[in-house]
Amino acid sequence: MVLTHVEELGDAGEAAAAAAVFASRYVQEPVPRYELGERSISKDAAYQIVHDELLLDSSPRLNLASFVTTWMEPECDKLILEAVNKNYADMDEYPVTTELQNRCVNIIARLFNAPVGDGEKAVGVGTVGSSEAIMLAGLAFKRRWQNKRKEAGKPYDKPNIVTGANVQVCWEKFARYFEVELKEVKLSEGYYVMNPEKAVEMVDENTICVAAILGSTLTGEFEDVERLNDLLAAKNKRTKWDTPIHVDAASGGFVAPFLYPELEWDFRLPLVKSINVSGHKYGLVYAGVGWVIWRNKEDLPEELIFHINYLGADQPTFTLNFSKGSSQIIAQYYQFLRLGFEGYKHVMNNCMESARTLREGLEKTGRFTIISKEKGVPLVAFTFKGGAGAGPLAFKLSAGLRRYGWIVPAYTMPAALEHMTVLRVVVREDFGRPLAERFLSHVRMTLDEMDLAAKAPVPKVRLTIELGPARTADEEASVRVVKSEPVTVHKRVPLVAGGGKTKGVC
């Protein structure tokens, strides 16, 4: 039972004051940081304390570092709250929620051109994000490879996976957690995604799959999955191997079908056996939902699927966790129902237009080189002109923009390109032209502030030192600072400008 009222508040005066949180004792008592508090407090006070602390968080809408959705329609917010107490794992108790998940799997599979017939159920599952989806897909590839090696009487203890050095950290987690060697194709100047030729060269008989990225985290660029498929098919034919492809479409999976329908990256390519996508990115749902789709049942080994019946009926399950909320699954279906193909296409077109506004505005400053491609995920990645020496400027710009509320990440590129420092702005549905223009004005203001700071005189300090004699011939004389004082620079600053206005503030 949750306590919402405290019986013993000391005296009637304090009890009356508790109705006004800021007049109560709670705002003066330290909050629990390491141990559970001895006494309960009122629900109003608990809410206000947590609410006030959260005021110091940044605004999600101004977080341009994240791909994750930060706005949904009020009607969908209402559905999310209505389902917040539903455990998705209880499929027998919540059969309609399970049906909505199955509908989402079917819709996404057909969006990715899976070879399923009319009325046929697709193979896939909802996850808490693309990280879990990638773990599940990787496990399926590993088990499938191991089974084939066992049947052939060959060693199966050294699996590897080939990716580009631009992969998200979840691939490194998969490799480390599940003991798979990660073979990364290094990036090169001007080519910031995996080179398909080099990737195929790294493939050997122990490669469980090659992972291609549709929407690089670093630059938003799509990798050439079609070229990778053709090269790998030729190598498979030559070596008699059967190395497949997984497409990490976490960011681009809900972009490409609507903006680039002619681009072949999905199940239209025969070697693509599974695809993951983040519903909470351009699937337009709040954080907490991802999807993984398999080409057909044969690509998901049956022994990885568990069957339970202690919740009321036989339930197949293939997830890394068990209990999870149903709200995001329901929200994903709401978006599919609400927007349809037309709505998603309009949203993605608007995102690309905002990205174009940003790109043009940044180029007009004359200070940046844009390294992201126009065809890809709607984002703008850019560097300061001036080569490696301009790297510190990126971090200064990132810090300066925070004073206006914007969060823009500055990061160094992976191995072989560590000398490059990149800034990246992710364009989401709720970042329209007005916000883009406001952001550009703040970029220009921050650049002016940085230029002004660079021209400021370097502070001077006068040191008085005392030299002591060396005790031996091998020692140097000792030095001790006995006085340190700043050198004051006097400068006249008129308070009245030409128009009669004072420069000072009152």
Side-chain angles (χ1 to χ4, degrees):
M1 177 179 179
V2 178
L3 297 176
T4 58
H5 180 68
V6 180
E7 295 294 339
E8 299 179 4
L9 291 174
D11 54 48
E14 185 178 358
V21 173
F22 293 116
S24 70
R25 63 181 172 84
Y26 304 120
V27 295
Q28 293 300 324
E29 293 184 348
V31 297
R33 298 183 186 276
Y34 303 102
E35 296 179 357
L36 193 63
E38 291 292 330
R39 300 176 61 185
S40 301
I41 69 174
S42 73
K43 63 180 184 295
D44 297 323
Y47 169 82
Q48 195 67 53
I49 289 170
V50 177
H51 171 80
D52 289 354
E53 286 208 66
L54 290 173
L55 290 174
L56 297 175
D57 271 348
S58 299
S59 168
R61 294 279 303 276
L62 302 184
N63 180 6
L64 306 183
S66 177
F67 291 87
V68 176
T69 296
T70 52
W71 179 87
M72 296 188 75
E73 292 176 321
E75 291 77 8
C76 194
D77 289 344
K78 184 178 179 181
L79 279 176
I80 288 172
L81 289 175
E82 289 173 357
V84 75
N85 59 350
K86 287 185 179 180
N87 183 2
Y88 176 74
D90 298 337
M91 296 181 183
D92 192 55
E93 287 79 355
Y94 308 122
V96 176
T97 300
T98 302
E99 167 62 18
L100 295 187
Q101 187 228 218
N102 294 339
R103 291 179 191 176
C104 289
V105 167
N106 289 329
I107 290 170
I108 296 169
R110 285 164 173 80
L111 198 63
F112 296 167
N113 295 290
V116 289
D118 294 340
E120 183 182 353
K121 292 183 179 179
V123 181
V125 65
T127 63
V128 294
S130 274
S131 290
E132 183 189 7
I134 285 168
M135 303 285 176
L136 298 178
L139 284 172
F141 281 119
K142 182 180 178 182
R143 183 57 58 90
R144 185 170 173 267
W145 173 83
Q146 286 176 327
N147 290 343
K148 287 188 174 183
R149 299 284 290 182
K150 288 178 184 178
E151 291 175 4
K154 297 180 179 179
Y156 53 90
D157 59 334
K158 295 182 179 180
N160 69 66
I161 189 168
V162 176
T163 70
N166 56 313
V167 291
Q168 213 262 2
V169 69
C170 60
W171 284 100
E172 298 178 36
K173 290 182 178 180
F174 166 75
R176 188 176 302 178
Y177 295 166
F178 297 105
E179 299 181 326
V180 176
E181 179 190 1
L182 188 65
K183 300 170 72 173
E184 292 185 336
V185 178
K186 290 185 178 182
L187 310 185
S188 59
E189 196 78 45
Y191 199 95
Y192 307 118
V193 293
M194 180 179 69
N195 184 309
E197 283 81 5
K198 293 181 179 179
V200 172
E201 288 175 5
M202 298 177 73
V203 170
D204 58 34
E205 62 179 347
N206 293 320
T207 302
I208 63 175
C209 80
V210 180
I213 313 297
L214 193 78
S216 170
T217 301
L218 302 177
T219 63
E221 188 176 349
F222 294 162
E223 293 183 344
D224 192 344
V225 188
E226 185 177 11
R227 176 66 175 161
L228 176 66
N229 178 88
D230 295 343
L231 292 171
L232 191 54
K235 185 164 187 174
N236 284 343
K237 184 177 181 180
R238 187 172 66 255
T239 60
K240 307 302 180 185
W241 298 336
D242 187 25
T243 307
I245 295 172
H246 174 86
V247 179
D248 179 358
S251 301
F254 283 120
V255 175
F258 305 106
L259 296 184
Y260 316 108
E262 76 289 345
L263 182 66
E264 294 195 7
W265 61 273
D266 51 20
F267 292 118
R268 285 171 288 183
L269 304 175
L271 290 183
V272 174
K273 302 299 182 181
S274 55
I275 301 172
N276 69 276
V277 65
S278 292
H280 58 223
K281 292 181 180 176
Y282 291 102
L284 308 181
V285 178
Y286 292 138
V289 62
W291 304 92
V292 57
I293 310 294
W294 283 272
R295 187 182 195 86
N296 51 50
K297 292 181 179 179
E298 290 72 26
D299 296 311
L300 175 57
E302 178 63 32
E303 62 263 35
L304 293 178
I305 303 174
F306 290 83
H307 293 265
I308 60 170
N309 61 10
Y310 48 77
L311 292 177
D314 178 70
Q315 298 176 9
T317 175
F318 180 41
T319 57
L320 293 183
N321 64 310
F322 190 62
S323 294
K324 67 177 179 181
S326 297
S327 295
Q328 267 64 16
I329 298 288
I330 294 169
Q332 184 73 82
Y333 186 69
Y334 169 90
Q335 293 289 52
F336 288 164
L337 181 67
R338 168 79 173 93
L339 295 173
F341 192 96
E342 176 190 41
Y344 269 96
K345 185 174 182 178
H346 287 326
V347 168
M348 299 310 151
N349 274 322
N350 284 340
C351 287
M352 293 304 290
E353 283 300 315
S354 295
R356 189 172 293 110
T357 298
L358 280 179
R359 172 188 291 269
E360 293 172 355
L362 291 170
E363 287 177 333
K364 285 180 180 178
T365 67
R367 305 287 292 272
F368 305 112
T369 299
I370 309 297
I371 66 169
S372 53
K373 307 293 184 184
E374 292 193 38
K375 186 174 183 179
V377 174
L379 63 78
V380 182
F382 54 101
T383 62
F384 271 89
K385 292 181 178 179
L393 295 177
F395 293 103
K396 289 181 180 179
L397 178 59
S398 176
L401 288 170
R402 276 182 176 264
R403 294 191 291 108
Y404 297 98
W406 304 104
I407 299 176
V408 178
Y411 51 88
T412 54
M413 294 288 271
L417 292 175
E418 299 98 329
H419 61 281
M420 290 184 62
T421 304
V422 178
L423 293 129
R424 186 195 67 201
V425 175
V426 176
V427 176
R428 299 186 302 271
E429 175 187 16
D430 53 353
F431 187 79
R433 188 182 185 93
L435 276 180
E437 291 176 343
R438 177 67 65 178
F439 171 77
L440 288 170
S441 72
H442 288 158
V443 169
R444 291 189 292 269
M445 292 167 66
T446 305
L447 289 173
D448 290 342
E449 293 165 1
M450 291 167 57
D451 292 341
L452 187 62
K455 295 177 182 177
V458 178
K460 296 181 179 179
V461 177
R462 181 182 292 112
L463 300 177
T464 303
I465 62 174
E466 182 180 89
L467 297 176
R471 289 177 295 179
T472 67
D474 296 331
E475 284 188 355
E476 296 181 356
S478 62
V479 179
R480 184 171 69 90
V481 177
V482 295
K483 189 177 182 181
S484 173
E485 55 184 342
V487 177
T488 304
V489 177
H490 297 283
K491 183 179 180 181
R492 293 181 179 273
V493 179
L495 291 179
V496 181
K501 300 289 185 179
T502 59
K503 290 183 177 178
V505 289
C506 300

